[in-house]
Amino acid sequence: MAYITGSSDVILKLGKSVIRRYRKSDAEAIVAAADSHLVSEYMTATFPSPYTLQDAVNWIDIAGQEGSLFFAICTFDSDIVIGGCGFQHLTGEQSRTKVLGYWLSPRYWGQGIMTEVISSLSSWAFEQLPTLLRIEATVIEENRGSIKVLERAGFHHEGTRRMAVFKNGRIHNVLVMGLIRHEWKDFVEVKTGGVAE
Ligand SMILES: CC(C)(COP(=O)(O)OP(=O)(O)OC[C@H]1O[C@@H](n2cnc3c(N)ncnc32)[C@H](O)[C@@H]1OP(=O)(O)O)[C@@H](O)C(=O)NCCC(=O)NCCS
């Protein structure tokens, strides 16, 4: 994993993808990647379906706001957007928690791309945000691939919000997955045989 600093809009260069800030020119690629019920099925209702060009333009504006931690996942070689990832801020007494979200174009599933993104992006957040204590993600119970990528990054299943989601005529339990700063450090240390600083 390489951290990029300076004026570049690239956040992380990984083995299988690049994480960078969104650009105005990304709108069509976002639609091509995101406009699929396979993607929206397990996302919250704020993720548009169908996903239009205007939705993409709006998202690029939101992600471009000061302090935003929403990023594009791009192909390593051609720099085309194939997914999104990032953190939602919480306020008040929860401000030292960030909520992780992510999605990938179905064309690229099953290649280990998100496993690498979640693991690296979580490390990036703990290193870049010294006051951050906790990253959490909520996942519909049937979304086994998503649970797997979180577990591989060291997230723990902290509880289940039973029947929390009613979507497309079906009721779902939702798993709360969390990663605490000190667990992350221990996890990275064990995984790499080194220390996370
Ligand atoms: C979930 C998602 C991000 C995974 O991305 P990905 O790049 O395909 O994930 P990876 O390839 O790194 O790893 C997924 C793992 O889960 C496994 N998996 C996928 N579906 C599975 C299922 N139904 N049951 C069990 N394992 C499953 C894959 O086989 C893979 O494991 P492996 O490497 O041992 O083969 C992607 O499927 C996606 O964007 N889904 C739609 C949006 C979404 O659900 N976002 C998350 C909301 S919480």
Side-chain angles (χ1 to χ4, degrees):
M1 170 172 62
Y3 287 8
I4 312 296
T5 52
S7 58
S8 166
D9 64 359
V10 175
I11 306 296
L12 291 168
K13 272 196 170 163
L14 307 176
K16 298 172 192 282
S17 67
V18 172
I19 300 175
R20 64 159 170 79
R21 298 202 175 274
Y22 286 96
R23 299 172 191 153
K24 297 269 184 222
S25 55
D26 288 331
E28 286 183 10
I30 294 172
V31 175
D35 186 26
S36 163
H37 74 277
L38 295 171
V39 175
S40 62
E41 186 177 4
Y42 291 124
M43 301 293 285
T44 60
T46 52
F47 194 90
S49 182
Y51 202 114
T52 67
L53 197 58
Q54 188 58 51
D55 292 322
V57 169
N58 293 346
W59 181 247
I60 292 166
D61 277 349
I62 291 168
Q65 286 169 9
E66 182 76 27
S68 157
L69 294 175
F70 295 125
F71 308 118
I73 302 170
C74 303
T75 50
F76 190 84
D77 43 1
S78 46
D79 199 25
I80 293 167
V81 179
I82 56 170
C85 60
F87 301 99
Q88 185 192 329
H89 300 293
L90 297 180
T91 56
E93 69 276 13
Q94 294 193 77
S95 63
R96 293 178 75 171
T97 295
K98 303 273 177 235
V99 180
L100 174 65
Y102 47 90
W103 62 272
L104 190 68
S105 161
R107 278 185 58 200
Y108 295 87
W109 288 6
Q111 300 176 25
I113 292 175
M114 202 58 86
T115 292
E116 189 184 51
V117 166
I118 298 308
S119 188
S120 306
L121 191 66
S122 300
S123 288
W124 176 87
F126 280 123
E127 289 174 8
Q128 298 293 312
L129 308 169
T131 62
L132 179 65
L133 288 177
R134 164 188 172 79
I135 300 173
E136 70 180 34
T138 52
V139 188
I140 287 177
E141 193 170 35
E142 291 82 0
N143 196 352
R144 304 313 302 177
S146 185
I147 293 163
K148 203 164 178 179
V149 298
L150 290 167
E151 287 174 341
R152 281 175 172 166
F155 282 69
H156 288 257
H157 176 206
E158 300 178 327
T160 299
R161 299 173 60 223
R162 295 171 299 159
M163 295 187 163
V165 166
F166 179 71
K167 190 166 183 185
N168 299 331
R170 293 179 59 205
I171 299 166
H172 301 276
N173 295 335
V174 170
L175 272 55
V176 179
M177 306 288 293
L179 181 64
I180 307 295
R181 175 179 284 277
H182 72 262
E183 290 172 348
W184 158 72
K185 277 200 171 183
D186 294 345
F187 183 77
V188 172
E189 194 171 339
V190 169
K191 219 173 137 192
T192 62
V195 183
E197 283 182 324

